[in-house]
Amino acid sequence: MPHTPTSPSAPPSTSASAAAHLSAPAPGTAPAVAAPAPAETGGRLTAAQGTALYVGAVLGTGVIALPALASEAAGPASLLAWLALVVLSAPLAGTFAALGARHPDGGGVATYARLAFGDRAAAVVGWCFYLAVPPGATAAACFGGEYVAAATGGGTTTVVVTAAALMAVVTLVGAVGLRLGGRLQLLLAALLVVLLATAVLLSLPDARLDNLTPFAPHGLAAVGSAATLLVWSFAGWEAITHLAGEFRRPATDLPRATAAAVVLVGVLYLSVAFAVVVVLGAGAATERAPLGELMAHGLGGDARVLAAVVALLLTFGAMNTYYAGAANLGAALARDGALPRGLARGGVAGQVPRRSLAVVATLAFCVLGVVAVTGADTGPLVMLATGSFVTVYAIGVAAALRLLPRGSAGRRAAAVSLVAVLALLLMTGRYLLWPLALAGAALAYLRLSRRGRAAAARPAARPADARAGSSGVCRPDPRAAPAHEDPDASL
């Protein structure tokens, strides 16, 4: 998108985001419900491009790695976990679509939390999402690197180099602007849907129903463990809310994109998971590149190169959406005082928040550096990101119950989603310590930031005789800023 300069003395805001900001509730008061979204915004995303972004964000790397991990955890019974999360994704996606259509703002779930519960809740949600993206993106990039390593016979170095290259490309695309990203995403989504559907259909002649027995080798309780892992696969419904203001017509395009994406993602996930179990059998649990094996059955010969290409496309799609969403979120948080105000630049719909994007990319490279040096597994990175995303979901759907009109479809979807998300929170276990730590850091920063601004707003005390003339009457200090100037403008 074209970059339009903004005034450095004031944080950027769209009409929708500014209205949302002004309608935030004061402590102890009921939330103010903002007016419905305008029919047109400064954004350029269409419903088709939005569907592609959703497919890229949600389908993402889950389909290339997690069928095997879920099968290892619960055997064929992992299909129940897949089905449960597909069913859950419909009301969850509907909830965030309703919120995004009504309040199109780059802050996404953080904005909804502020409107419903105040600035502290917004800061907590914002930090949880913003700082979940670097470890999540690192894990996703490494998943793509594993497929490249399998295709080329490489090792850890191949994985790390591939991951770094993916991060660099996604950062460059994000810096160019969402318009290019949206068009690329549309093309990639169509290509991936065709490839995955073809691989599944052609592999089914090798399916054996005997591979479904024993159905629950580790007991039905293991389905819960598999579901916790699979939350990673369905994280993404909230990511598009940060891009709601980038849609041409959020009130209509966002719900349409959501509905189409829910159907596509649900069908593809269930199809791939079923095919992996019935075609690969017990070997699915130990296969590093299950999609590659599935393609080999369906297409014949050595399909590892094609699988690597598909894995890279899926990884790029997911990372592209999350980088864009996190960059917009960071700008909105800076605008609202929950991050340094310098990151707010470029946060208006139609602009590119390059400073915020640079922070996300830098942190992701740092995490990748730690993984490369220590040889750490990507599993904990997945669970750290999952814990943060589930926390965001819980606060987001709770906010929807306060913000969406009574009796609306979105509010009913939020009620269903809240019960399911609370159950996921319980299953996340010790990995909730990460979002709790982020919550504490966010609240501490917010307090320090407010103290700093309050101190800057107070004029410095000066001795009376230094400001007084010979008559003893105090005169204005010429070094003091005029009273009408914003003391934070230079920030």
Side-chain angles (χ1 to χ4, degrees):
M1 287 186 177
H3 178 73
T4 304
T6 58
S7 170
S9 62
S13 63
T14 63
S15 57
S17 62
H21 187 268
L22 292 174
S23 62
T29 63
V33 179
E40 297 277 350
T41 70
R44 302 194 181 195
L45 280 179
T46 64
Q49 290 176 337
T51 300
L53 286 169
Y54 262 129
V55 170
V58 181
L59 192 64
T61 55
V63 76
I64 67 176
L66 291 186
L69 295 177
S71 181
E72 181 182 7
S78 62
L79 294 175
L80 296 178
W82 282 105
L83 179 61
L85 287 173
V86 166
V87 172
L88 168 62
S89 69
L92 190 63
T95 299
F96 288 123
L99 286 169
R102 192 171 182 83
H103 307 287
D105 182 78
V109 184
T111 293
Y112 315 146
R114 176 166 46 76
L115 290 173
F117 306 118
D119 289 342
R120 292 183 179 87
V124 169
V125 169
W127 278 53
C128 281
F129 185 94
Y130 193 66
L131 295 178
V133 171
T138 302
C142 288
F143 287 155
E146 289 283 357
Y147 273 73
V148 174
T152 61
T156 302
T157 301
T158 301
V159 173
V160 172
V161 171
T162 302
L166 278 168
M167 290 178 178
V169 171
V170 170
T171 303
L172 288 175
V173 170
V176 169
L178 190 60
R179 186 176 184 181
L180 174 62
R183 289 175 175 174
L184 281 176
Q185 202 79 17
L186 185 58
L187 176 63
L188 292 177
L191 178 62
L192 291 171
V193 168
V194 171
L195 285 173
L196 290 175
T198 301
V200 169
L201 290 174
L202 293 181
S203 69
L204 287 181
D206 291 337
R208 297 177 54 194
L209 294 181
D210 291 347
N211 288 329
L212 292 174
T213 56
F215 185 69
H218 308 300
L220 289 178
V223 174
S225 300
T228 304
L229 282 170
L230 295 181
V231 169
W232 166 273
S233 298
F234 291 88
W237 299 118
E238 82 296 340
I240 309 299
T241 62
H242 304 292
L243 308 176
E246 303 288 348
F247 281 82
R248 291 176 183 172
R249 295 174 294 273
T252 57
D253 290 344
L254 190 54
R256 290 174 183 173
T258 302
V262 165
V263 174
L264 276 174
V265 169
V267 170
L268 286 173
Y269 264 149
L270 289 176
S271 300
V272 172
F274 178 77
V276 165
V277 170
V278 298
V279 173
L280 302 185
T286 57
E287 181 59 50
R288 290 180 61 191
L291 187 59
E293 287 299 310
L294 194 65
M295 287 185 168
H297 279 271
L299 303 177
D302 190 352
R304 288 180 298 177
V305 174
L306 179 59
V309 172
V310 173
L312 290 177
L313 293 177
L314 285 166
T315 304
F316 173 83
M319 292 176 64
N320 180 43
T321 301
Y322 271 96
Y323 271 49
N328 278 349
L329 170 62
L333 290 173
R335 174 199 68 200
D336 298 335
L339 283 176
R341 290 185 65 181
L343 297 181
R345 187 176 180 86
V348 176
Q351 297 182 4
V352 181
R354 293 187 177 91
R355 294 181 180 180
S356 179
L357 176 65
V359 171
V360 173
T362 300
L363 291 176
F365 275 115
C366 289
V367 175
L368 179 62
V370 172
V371 171
V373 171
T374 63
D377 186 33
T378 54
L381 296 180
V382 171
M383 293 306 299
L384 287 176
T386 295
S388 295
F389 289 142
V390 173
T391 302
V392 170
Y393 287 162
I395 299 176
V397 295
L401 291 174
R402 300 195 70 181
L403 297 177
L404 297 178
R406 293 182 181 276
S408 66
R411 187 182 174 90
R412 291 193 295 271
V416 174
S417 300
L418 183 60
V419 175
V421 169
L422 290 178
L424 289 175
L425 275 175
L426 293 176
M427 290 187 288
T428 304
R430 67 181 184 275
Y431 289 100
L432 285 179
L433 293 175
W434 173 242
L436 286 175
L438 293 180
L443 294 176
Y445 178 86
L446 200 62
R447 176 176 294 182
L448 292 175
S449 176
R450 287 177 174 174
R451 286 181 179 177
R453 293 187 181 188
R458 290 194 298 267
R462 301 180 185 278
D465 58 347
R467 299 193 305 270
S470 57
S471 61
V473 178
C474 291
R475 294 184 173 87
D477 185 352
R479 295 172 296 177
H484 67 276
E485 290 186 1
D486 180 4
D488 289 332
S490 62
L491 300 178

